[in-house]
Amino acid sequence: MLAMDQGMVEEWLSEYKTFPETAISSYAASLKEKTSLVPALYKVIRENYSDLLEPVCHQLFEFYRSGEARLQRFTLQFLPELVWRYLSVSASRNPHHSGCIEALLLGMYNLEIVDKDGQSKVLSFTIPSLSKPSVYHEPSTIGSMALTEGALANHGLSRVVYSGPHLQRETFTAQNRFEVLTFLLLCYNAALSYMNSSSLQSLCHLSSRVCICGYPRQQVRRYKGINSRMLVTSEFLVQLITGIHFALCNGEPDLGSKALDDVLYRAQLELYPEVLLVGNAIKSSLRGAALKSNKEGTRSIQVEITPTSSRISRNAVTSLSIRGHRWKRHESQENSVDSPDSTPVGPVPIISVTGVSGERVANGEALRARTEAETLGGTTELGLDPRGQEVRRQKSLRRHVEDGTPSAGRLQF
Amino acid sequence: MTARKSGSRIETEIERCRSEGQWEKIPELVRQLSAKLISTDDVGELLLGEMKLQQFLKENPLKQNCSPRTARPPLTEARSHLTNVLQRGNLRTELLQEANVLMGKLCYVEGDYSEALTHFNRVNLDDMQLSSAPIYRLAMIAEAYATKGLCLEKTSTSCPPSSSEGDQEIITCYEKSGDIALLYLQEAEKALSAGMQNRSPKPGPVSQEQELGFFLETGLQRAHVIHFKNGNLTHGVGRFREILRAVETRTTQNLRMTIARQLAEILLRGMCEQSYWSPLEDPPAQSPLDEPQCTHTHPEYTLPRRARIYTGENLFCPQENTEEALLLLLISESMANRDAVLSRIPEHSADRVLSLQSASVVYDLLTIALGRRGQYEMLSECLERAMKFAFEEFHLWYQLALSLMAAGKSARAVKVLKECMRLKPDDPTIPLLAVKLCIGNLHWLDEGEGFAKMVVEMQDKAAEFRAKGFLALGLVYSLKATDASLRGVQEEYQKKALSAFQRAQSLAPTDHLAVFYLALQLAVSRQIPEALGYVRQALQLQGDDVHSLHLLALLLSAQKHYHDALNIIEMALSEYPENFMLLFTKVKLETLCRGPEEALLTCKHMLQIWKSCYNLTNPSDSGRGSSLLDRAVADRRQLNAVTLPDFSDPETASASSSSLMMSLPSSPSSLFFPLSSLYPTSPMPRSDPVGHVFCDHFPRRRLSSASSVHAPSVAASRVEQALSEASSLQSSTPKHGPLHPWMTLAQIWLHAAEVYIGMMKPAEAMACTQEAASLFPTSHNVLFMKGQVAELRGNLEDAKRCYEEALAISPAHIRSMQRLGVILYQLQRFSLAEKVLCEAVQLCSSSHLGWHSLAEVLQAQGNMAAASECFLTALQLEASNPIMPFTILPRAL
């Protein structure tokens, strides 16, 4: 470590103590200008035996405890590096050198799991439902939705807990290690927009290394550090992926996609469906988006003018068209096909593929006829062999067409 | 203006045609009009000029991203009409404005931007009346603003870039254009539907879906495109939200679908919880989302008339970025779903690809959003709706399978995975996922074997996964060996399992799991020293693996090094303080090493851990994902009131437990138990968890073991097994259904009861058993323990009845069978005892207790030769008997 860096870190360590309460906010704002401080602190954390590590950890904790958002984010930016340092040291079974890092991580965790009043924090969110009006939609225009168990249960808005409440932790154990780290990453992810590129890069490195150390891929990546395998949990990996996703789209496409690949590689070996699910989705959603590796590190969120007219040709059979379609027995009765608002002559058999029912119900009879039709066709829903399904669907379709008239007659009288 | 009477009819007709874009009717109407009107041909000129221009645009639509470079000829006619009007200038102001605006548009089409701008500057666009304007004029004004914006952009590119003031003017033009366009579309649709009702059945090919056209499209979208290009996310997002909040029209559906998806993308990719602001809040003055250099001054403007937005009471307004993203994606999904192209004829393949693409982007984003929040059940339902797109689409099938798996719908997941294997036969992960499910709670061993073999047979294609394949195969065989009832079959499977584990280990020497299972398999077949060697190796590879440590302790206990075993357990507990499996073993070891009082202290400690682990859940949340406790316990105080009987002091212990028994109705546990009486009455937001577990997992396990009587150890410690499954997950997230906490609690009580039985204290043992019984009144473990207490009290008939009941519930419960045999023997019913014990020995040939009792019965019957053989077997088995069966350790991928 260069003497200059050391001097800067030492200055940083001493100056904070001298500030009165009132000056903290302006101090927090001024931190941004010390451009070489952050790299110097990274060096302290990365170095093996640094005398500065302990006071630095202490200071970072003081920042976190201050309650000033900018100071907290200053500490938070080092989280990926701290986590890596902690994990690599505990994997090398030399737990004596990470004591202050452990203390810092646990301290941050214990601060985050309680709210201002000291009550356990419970993080929850509302699952929106299309059946309730929102600022963006009106339920009636959405059309009827599939009547599934989930749709019924979600008829109202439901509030769901996604994290918490958590127990206070005094020490790291093998059992609580990833519970604590996962929660810390959740906090980090909540502040992702404020993280600079060195922090995002550190996150990508952390993700890659945790996932490949001790596996054959380590050679491919030419990473020479520790080579014992690290245990992970699927929740931890999902949190990592969330951060990687942000990094991928905000200036770190190369490191990000490498990290994503490594996490997916590990998830395959561990057979974690949750991680595979989210990772595959990110990969596939980015394949379409032009991820230009813009050198300036600008955000790669790009929006183009898109044609507003439907790009799907009018005569293709779609879920919508098939709902409005009426099956005729005789070619000659071709009079009022195009006006969908006139009352249907006979029942409207609906081919239900996912149980989406039609919007226009002429009367109760038509509805009943449809439910009959659905029970007929419904059994073939979501068969596992799509080819067979197609054939069966067409068969049942023909049956509807043939059945159309007699049942109409019965229903009309 | 004089011939008002019939003239007005024609005028309205003209207005209608202009609004609906039926330009081909205009010439005829103009002829009629000029016949009626005396004074001005100029109106006709204007109309004809407009007609020519619009028809030209209809035939040669402008495209985004390419400059109009039209040669003059086709538009000369239009130009001359309009020039005439403008030169004479004797029309009303509004009509002159129209003429100017049209002229500007024409100039733009011809590529003459500065001339266009002079026309737009001649009319102050802001002066054009919005209120009470006819519909066509709304469109015209919107187009005028858009065209002006386009011209300004074209002319400013020559100037130095990012003259921010000029930029602002451009953006304002586009924003106004977009706002008015939305208003126009709403009004046009209103008029159309009114017309549909009034007019007689004259459907005609009325432009059901009006095309927006180049100018309106630009006006609606260009503003936010510029915002994003400038790195001003805050304003871009604000613009998106404004467009989305306007009430939908048929024409804006596709736009809304796209914008909703794009906004969701931004929310998920570029925002975080801390930088989010809700749609009804003002954006933050400073945001990390924006490029530092971009200007934050955004000119506010007011329009006299705006598009209607969604209003009403109790409108849902998202408060968090994931919430908003989800809402947008659900809206987008409902539209994408409607456009699913179902026909499979080749002509529609391009359409199919389009509809698939737009839908799969939405589903991917939904996955990202819901996955972040752990809502896999809802996700699996969403992805199921994607199945109409999924024919031969691997990605969609695979994602559905994974979501089903994550949501715990194992059986369906396996079926979907099979389809994935068909679509992508080379991917070893898919069959491995299937095996994981099969040897998990599905217990579909034959299917699992098939999947594992698929991986193994992939040879080099599977690479690193081949080791995993052998591991899976070994686990299948190992479980089959446990289930097998015939000794020969058992041994054969054990051999197969061993060799599979060995292959796995040789392929992946650094995988601690392979070594661990090798050790476990050796332990199960009682090769204790070999097993010890491997378990040490596993611990070298992964020092804090809880199961390896547990196995080491059990192996030491099999060698009767109880103190060493206890030390290992305590060491493991320092890393896994809340692991109940370890604690149960600790209770047993402590009873032997340090006496029952110590063991009771551990039981008490376990109750405290249980309370601190599961009491944390917040009762106020009522969504999914929260544990059973918050549902079952209406009031948190009730749970806090659970008093733990003090086991340390025998006097108070018996007092408190008997008081517990006597005051049963008010005893804390009876407040929420029995569970069966709970769920019909309690107001549960979602009925599934309790019912789900009871009618899904539990009976299935029960059925699986009941249908195959060859599942001795499955039945023997079913609760333990379920426990081990659950405790392999983190204790704080009981994912496998909310039954687990209660099972753990019952198990703790039963262990305490056993310790009391060892201390010859039937009353205390009974009290503990009763606690467990109030949780699971029909558990065979509870009934077995009641039998034990009855035996201790010397009540053989009661004990016999209890054991029989336990066996009625779980026909293969080995301990009940063994005790029943002993009781029958004590009741002098030798031949029946012999039969029961023979069965017990067959079901579990590794338990020395069964052999020993059988030997005693045979001895009493005078069958000395057979008896001595049995005694010998018992002796041999006892020498390698662990304190808890090895099979309590989970065997899972």
Side-chain angles (χ1 to χ4, degrees):
Chain A
M1 189 170 190
L2 295 171
M4 200 184 72
D5 288 338
Q6 183 151 2
M8 185 160 3
V9 173
E10 275 163 359
E11 188 198 317
W12 172 72
L13 285 171
S14 58
E15 68 188 359
Y16 179 67
K17 291 180 193 105
T18 61
F19 283 112
E21 282 282 308
T22 46
I24 285 180
S25 138
S26 62
Y27 171 69
S30 74
L31 268 178
K32 226 180 230 165
E33 284 140 41
K34 303 186 178 184
T35 43
S36 44
L37 173 65
V38 173
L41 287 175
Y42 271 114
K43 275 183 203 159
V44 172
I45 299 171
R46 278 173 200 156
E47 216 162 84
N48 261 337
Y49 301 96
S50 173
D51 297 335
L52 286 172
L53 183 60
E54 202 169 323
V56 162
C57 285
H58 183 75
Q59 177 90 326
L60 287 175
F61 181 65
E62 287 299 318
F63 274 24
Y64 208 77
R65 203 166 58 168
S66 70
E68 160 72 36
R70 272 170 296 190
L71 289 184
Q72 288 188 332
R73 286 176 199 141
F74 186 83
T75 300
L76 215 46
Q77 71 177 318
F78 297 105
L79 185 76
E81 200 62 40
L82 291 165
V83 169
W84 170 246
R85 187 93 183 101
Y86 163 65
L87 284 177
S88 56
V89 169
S90 53
S92 63
R93 291 182 210 173
N94 193 358
H96 303 293
H97 298 291
S98 66
C100 52
I101 290 182
E102 278 183 37
L104 171 60
L105 293 174
L106 284 168
M108 289 166 75
Y109 167 84
N110 286 332
L111 282 175
E112 281 291 343
I113 57 166
V114 289
D115 57 16
K116 281 184 246 74
D117 311 321
Q119 295 291 313
S120 290
K121 234 196 270 181
V122 176
L123 302 176
S124 61
F125 82 117
T126 307
I127 296 186
S129 161
L130 289 187
S131 55
K132 286 275 176 291
S134 79
V135 288
Y136 294 143
H137 86 291
E138 169 66 43
S140 58
T141 56
I142 297 292
S144 46
M145 279 157 283
L147 194 66
T148 63
E149 192 196 344
L152 277 179
N154 258 354
H155 190 65
L157 303 164
S158 49
R159 192 124 188 110
V160 162
V161 175
Y162 62 90
S163 182
H166 294 279
L167 286 170
Q168 291 272 339
R169 297 291 181 189
E170 262 122 52
T171 50
F172 271 113
T173 62
Q175 194 172 18
N176 69 25
R177 179 177 301 148
F178 281 99
E179 198 187 309
V180 171
L181 295 182
T182 305
F183 186 75
L184 283 174
L185 275 182
L186 188 77
C187 299
Y188 178 83
N189 287 340
L192 270 174
S193 309
Y194 297 91
M195 293 303 142
N196 54 28
S197 61
S198 55
S199 182
L200 294 179
Q201 285 164 7
S202 167
L203 179 82
C204 292
H205 285 305
L206 161 73
S207 313
S208 279
R209 289 173 190 169
V210 163
C211 289
I212 60 166
C213 275
Y215 288 87
R217 185 176 274 220
Q218 191 175 3
Q219 268 86 55
V220 183
R221 289 273 185 256
R222 296 216 185 80
Y223 174 69
K224 291 186 193 68
I226 47 165
N227 46 16
S228 55
R229 296 186 175 190
M230 295 184 183
L231 292 173
V232 288
T233 63
S234 94
E235 291 85 359
F236 181 73
L237 292 187
V238 170
Q239 288 304 330
L240 280 182
I241 277 196
T242 305
I244 294 170
H245 187 202
F246 185 88
L248 258 174
C249 303
N250 293 276
E252 302 296 336
D254 298 334
L255 271 181
S257 57
K258 238 184 224 171
L260 180 59
D261 281 343
D262 291 341
V263 175
L264 277 175
Y265 164 81
R266 180 66 181 269
Q268 283 180 334
L269 285 167
E270 299 280 349
L271 304 173
Y272 287 148
E274 300 87 358
V275 187
L276 290 172
L277 197 53
V278 180
N280 287 341
I282 290 175
K283 265 193 123 165
S284 132
S285 80
L286 290 178
R287 206 172 293 139
L291 253 192
K292 291 155 196 149
S293 56
N294 24 16
K295 300 279 186 302
E296 322 91 75
T298 47
R299 331 217 170 225
S300 57
I301 287 164
Q302 282 156 345
V303 171
E304 302 283 331
I305 295 186
T306 47
T308 48
S309 56
S310 176
R311 292 180 297 163
I312 289 157
S313 74
R314 297 260 165 82
N315 53 0
V317 180
T318 65
S319 314
L320 183 66
S321 72
I322 214 163
R323 264 193 264 166
H325 197 82
R326 292 187 291 112
W327 307 95
K328 303 174 297 292
R329 193 141 182 255
H330 305 293
E331 295 293 313
S332 54
Q333 295 183 335
E334 211 177 343
N335 42 13
S336 58
V337 187
D338 292 309
S339 66
D341 286 68
S342 62
T343 44
V345 191
V348 189
I350 304 290
I351 291 96
S352 163
V353 179
T354 51
V356 213
S357 45
E359 290 165 305
R360 283 179 283 272
V361 178
N363 48 36
E365 264 105 15
L367 181 72
R368 192 163 2 120
R370 195 183 50 229
T371 43
E372 280 172 17
E374 271 176 355
T375 44
L376 274 172
T379 47
T380 62
E381 280 177 32
L382 276 169
L384 280 156
D385 180 2
R387 244 178 268 166
Q389 189 192 352
E390 182 69 21
V391 176
R392 264 177 283 150
R393 190 192 300 150
Q394 278 168 359
K395 270 186 189 159
S396 70
L397 209 161
R398 199 177 312 132
R399 201 162 61 228
H400 292 322
V401 179
E402 283 159 9
D403 289 350
T405 318
S407 72
R410 179 166 52 84
L411 280 169
Q412 270 164 356
F413 297 108
Chain B
M1 315 241 164
T2 37
R4 266 259 156 260
K5 241 181 139 184
S6 51
S8 68
R9 214 184 69 81
I10 298 176
E11 272 176 5
T12 35
E13 187 66 14
I14 288 177
E15 205 183 294
R16 196 177 65 80
C17 288
R18 290 177 86 182
S19 299
E20 291 173 6
Q22 300 187 41
W23 307 110
E24 63 285 349
K25 291 187 184 163
I26 294 285
E28 171 58 27
L29 289 165
V30 168
R31 208 169 317 128
Q32 290 177 19
L33 190 70
S34 49
K36 293 277 190 302
L37 291 170
I38 328 109
S39 65
T40 52
D41 285 339
D42 280 6
V43 177
E45 290 276 329
L46 173 68
L47 290 173
L48 288 175
E50 182 186 26
M51 183 270 285
K52 294 278 179 202
L53 175 62
Q54 299 290 20
Q55 282 210 311
F56 171 79
L57 286 174
K58 212 171 185 178
E59 283 150 25
N60 311 283
L62 295 177
K63 298 245 164 57
Q64 298 290 347
N65 300 326
C66 45
S67 306
R69 245 175 295 144
T70 316
R72 288 198 171 222
L75 285 170
T76 37
E77 257 186 279
R79 179 175 277 270
S80 74
H81 284 300
L82 291 173
T83 329
N84 285 342
V85 177
L86 287 171
Q87 272 172 354
R88 285 197 285 262
N90 31 358
L91 281 176
R92 276 181 295 152
T93 2
E94 300 99 82
L95 293 182
L96 268 181
Q97 283 171 338
E98 285 182 13
N100 262 315
V101 163
L102 285 169
M103 196 61 178
K105 187 171 169 185
L106 189 145
C107 291
Y108 175 81
V109 177
E110 288 182 340
D112 194 343
Y113 310 124
S114 50
E115 202 203 326
L117 277 177
T118 57
H119 283 285
F120 287 121
N121 290 336
R122 216 171 282 165
V123 251
N124 186 355
L125 290 181
D126 293 341
D127 287 345
M128 290 183 83
Q129 282 292 316
L130 282 178
S131 28
S132 74
I135 293 164
Y136 75 87
R137 197 175 294 141
L138 291 176
M140 194 180 265
I141 300 173
E143 289 195 338
Y145 273 117
T147 322
K148 190 179 173 190
L150 280 165
C151 291
L152 283 171
E153 261 195 282
K154 297 278 184 193
T155 48
S156 74
T157 40
S158 45
C159 313
S162 97
S163 53
S164 63
E165 222 167 277
D167 243 21
Q168 286 308 326
E169 196 192 347
I170 295 170
I171 288 175
T172 312
C173 277
Y174 287 132
E175 292 196 342
K176 283 181 182 168
S177 165
D179 289 346
I180 300 167
L182 289 172
L183 175 66
Y184 154 69
L185 291 169
Q186 288 180 353
E187 293 298 314
E189 188 166 271
K190 216 197 284 175
L192 196 71
S193 62
M196 295 281 276
Q197 279 166 12
N198 294 341
R199 243 174 290 148
S200 49
K202 182 194 164 194
V206 186
S207 38
Q208 270 278 320
E209 247 173 84
Q210 261 176 313
E211 299 270 324
L212 263 179
F214 169 77
F215 292 100
L216 291 184
E217 226 162 59
T218 309
L220 277 168
Q221 298 185 62
R222 189 72 196 153
H224 59 246
V225 170
I226 294 178
H227 282 313
F228 288 118
K229 206 181 70 195
N230 293 348
N232 195 337
L233 240 71
T234 317
H235 286 144
V237 167
R239 190 68 203 150
F240 269 160
R241 285 171 169 174
E242 275 171 42
I243 297 174
L244 285 167
R245 288 185 61 194
V247 174
E248 171 186 82
T249 61
R250 273 187 91 89
T251 325
T252 50
Q253 273 180 354
N254 278 300
L255 176 70
R256 279 170 59 85
M257 184 173 115
T258 316
I259 286 186
R261 199 205 66 223
Q262 285 173 336
L263 181 52
E265 252 165 37
I266 288 165
L267 289 164
L268 291 175
R269 287 179 187 165
M271 268 201 210
C272 63
E273 283 80 351
Q274 286 189 17
S275 59
Y276 177 82
W277 75 101
S278 125
L280 299 182
E281 279 169 10
D282 285 333
Q286 251 196 333
S287 168
L289 304 172
D290 300 335
E291 297 288 315
Q293 73 274 6
C294 72
T295 50
H296 286 280
T297 48
H298 189 57
E300 294 285 318
Y301 59 89
T302 45
L303 292 174
R305 214 172 141 201
R306 278 184 165 272
R308 280 178 301 121
I309 58 168
Y310 290 107
T311 49
E313 273 175 53
N314 298 327
L315 274 196
F316 171 69
C317 177
Q319 301 299 325
E320 199 217 32
N321 58 339
T322 325
E323 277 176 25
E324 186 168 353
L326 263 181
L327 173 63
L328 292 165
L329 290 170
L330 288 174
I331 292 172
S332 216
E333 186 222 350
S334 77
M335 296 195 230
N337 233 320
R338 236 171 4 195
D339 285 340
V341 175
L342 301 177
S343 64
R344 307 226 64 94
I345 51 174
E347 294 91 273
H348 289 149
S349 71
D351 290 323
R352 247 186 346 258
V353 170
L354 268 181
S355 73
L356 169 71
Q357 273 172 354
S358 64
S360 64
V361 175
V362 173
Y363 284 111
D364 284 334
L365 293 169
L366 263 176
T367 309
I368 294 169
L370 288 169
R372 254 182 216 185
R373 292 284 178 257
Q375 298 303 308
Y376 298 108
E377 180 153 352
M378 180 176 174
L379 180 60
S380 70
E381 274 168 17
C382 288
L383 289 176
E384 214 146 288
R385 292 199 289 270
M387 283 294 101
K388 69 172 69 160
F389 299 94
F391 177 62
E392 301 288 23
E393 284 299 328
F394 172 75
H395 179 65
L396 287 177
W397 280 102
Y398 193 36
Q399 294 290 86
L400 175 68
L402 291 169
S403 71
L404 287 168
M405 198 172 166
K409 300 175 183 169
S410 310
R412 267 177 69 65
V414 171
K415 291 191 173 149
V416 180
L417 281 171
K418 271 191 199 156
E419 174 68 10
C420 296
M421 286 175 224
R422 189 184 67 75
L423 291 169
K424 206 170 175 185
D426 286 350
D427 190 342
T429 322
I430 308 165
L432 279 174
L433 287 166
V435 195
K436 182 179 182 173
L437 291 168
C438 287
I439 58 181
N441 56 2
L442 287 179
H443 213 77
W444 291 354
L445 298 184
D446 289 334
E447 298 226 359
E449 188 181 345
F451 294 133
K453 279 184 174 155
M454 280 171 71
V455 183
V456 169
E457 282 156 14
M458 276 184 201
Q459 300 293 341
D460 293 341
K461 273 183 288 184
E464 294 167 69
F465 296 90
R466 234 171 131 233
K468 207 88 189 166
F470 276 112
L471 193 65
L473 197 59
L475 285 169
V476 171
Y477 288 140
S478 175
L479 290 168
K480 279 191 164 185
T482 312
D483 284 3
S485 61
L486 290 175
R487 206 179 177 128
V489 181
Q490 236 173 46
E491 275 166 6
E492 193 190 331
Y493 278 131
Q494 278 177 351
K495 224 181 283 167
K496 279 181 165 178
L498 262 183
S499 81
F501 287 137
Q502 271 155 353
R503 283 296 293 278
Q505 200 242 340
S506 67
L507 283 170
T510 53
D511 185 7
H512 77 278
L513 276 181
V515 193
F516 165 71
Y517 283 122
L518 193 52
L520 179 59
Q521 194 53 45
L522 287 165
V524 168
S525 43
R526 298 288 171 95
Q527 291 167 266
I528 307 296
E530 292 87 343
L532 266 171
Y534 280 114
V535 82
R536 291 211 166 96
Q537 206 177 319
L539 280 166
Q540 264 158 16
L541 288 169
Q542 194 55 256
D544 19 89
D545 181 52
V546 62
H547 301 307
S548 304
L549 287 168
H550 201 170
L551 179 59
L552 177 60
L554 291 182
L555 285 168
L556 288 171
S557 80
Q559 293 187 329
K560 313 299 176 236
H561 302 309
Y562 294 123
H563 285 279
D564 292 344
L566 188 54
N567 283 339
I568 295 289
I569 289 284
E570 275 172 348
M571 202 186 85
L573 276 170
S574 70
E575 284 295 314
Y576 297 89
E578 287 135 37
N579 188 306
F580 288 103
M581 295 240 305
L582 290 175
L583 286 164
F584 292 147
T585 308
K586 189 186 177 198
V587 170
K588 294 262 177 150
L589 285 169
E590 273 180 334
T591 318
L592 279 175
C593 297
R594 298 176 188 163
E597 278 81 10
E598 287 276 321
L600 283 177
L601 274 179
T602 306
C603 286
K604 192 187 168 193
H605 179 58
M606 275 197 275
L607 286 171
Q608 276 159 350
I609 294 175
W610 186 88
K611 210 175 131 192
S612 73
C613 280
Y614 300 116
N615 192 17
L616 266 174
T617 36
N618 190 339
S620 64
D621 66 80
S622 52
R624 13 170 129 179
S626 44
S627 81
L628 176 73
L629 284 184
D630 17 343
R631 287 162 224 284
V633 186
D635 187 344
R636 198 173 179 166
R637 280 172 301 135
Q638 292 176 352
L639 196 65
N640 287 336
V642 175
T643 49
L644 308 172
D646 190 1
F647 289 113
S648 55
D649 179 10
E651 288 299 308
T652 56
S654 58
S656 69
S657 18
S658 55
S659 78
L660 262 180
M661 277 177 72
M662 283 191 290
S663 62
L664 205 60
S666 68
S667 103
S669 46
S670 68
L671 283 174
F672 34 90
F673 305 122
L675 282 175
S676 50
S677 70
L678 181 99
Y679 44 86
T681 49
S682 74
M684 257 181 271
R686 274 174 60 81
S687 62
D688 87 62
V690 177
H692 180 66
V693 168
F694 272 91
C695 46
D696 197 32
H697 292 286
F698 216 54
R700 191 174 54 226
R701 303 187 131 280
R702 188 151 287 179
L703 277 179
S704 74
S705 62
S707 58
S708 65
V709 196
H710 335 286
S713 75
V714 174
S717 55
R718 193 176 301 124
V719 174
E720 280 100 319
Q721 204 187 32
L723 267 177
S724 67
E725 257 168 41
S727 63
S728 66
L729 305 160
Q730 288 291 306
S731 58
S732 61
T733 50
K735 267 196 295 186
H736 270 262
L739 195 62
H740 162 234
W742 301 124
M743 299 238 293
T744 311
L745 185 60
Q747 203 62 15
I748 297 171
W749 286 117
L750 289 178
H751 273 85
E754 216 167 336
V755 177
Y756 275 120
I757 288 169
M759 294 167 81
M760 312 296 244
K761 289 187 185 226
E764 288 85 347
M766 196 59 210
C768 292
T769 312
Q770 207 58 51
E771 287 289 335
S774 62
L775 290 163
F776 297 100
T778 56
S779 155
H780 60 274
N781 278 315
V782 168
L783 289 166
F784 170 74
M785 204 52 73
K786 282 185 178 168
Q788 294 263 284
V789 176
E791 259 191 272
L792 187 62
R793 286 180 168 148
N795 196 339
L796 289 190
E797 281 301 328
D798 261 8
K800 179 167 161 278
R801 192 178 41 78
C802 285
Y803 294 138
E804 277 166 355
E805 279 173 8
L807 286 172
I809 288 162
S810 171
H813 187 225
I814 202 78
R815 290 175 77 195
S816 298
M817 218 179 269
Q818 288 168 350
R819 291 315 301 171
L820 182 62
V822 172
I823 298 235
L824 288 170
Y825 162 68
Q826 284 166 1
L827 293 171
Q828 310 280 318
R829 298 170 67 179
F830 296 128
S831 59
L832 195 55
E834 186 193 336
K835 193 191 163 295
V836 170
L837 287 169
C838 274
E839 206 179 317
V841 161
Q842 200 175 38
L843 277 176
C844 176
S845 57
S846 61
S847 166
H848 66 279
L849 289 172
W851 288 104
H852 181 83
S853 311
L854 182 60
E856 280 181 333
V857 173
L858 290 170
Q859 194 182 20
Q861 285 175 316
N863 193 345
M864 294 305 167
S868 63
E869 216 167 296
C870 287
F871 273 127
L872 271 177
T873 315
L875 209 59
Q876 273 168 3
L877 284 171
E878 205 276 334
S880 62
N881 188 46
I883 192 113
M884 296 270 251
F886 291 117
T887 44
I888 61 161
L889 290 171
R891 282 171 283 181
L893 264 183

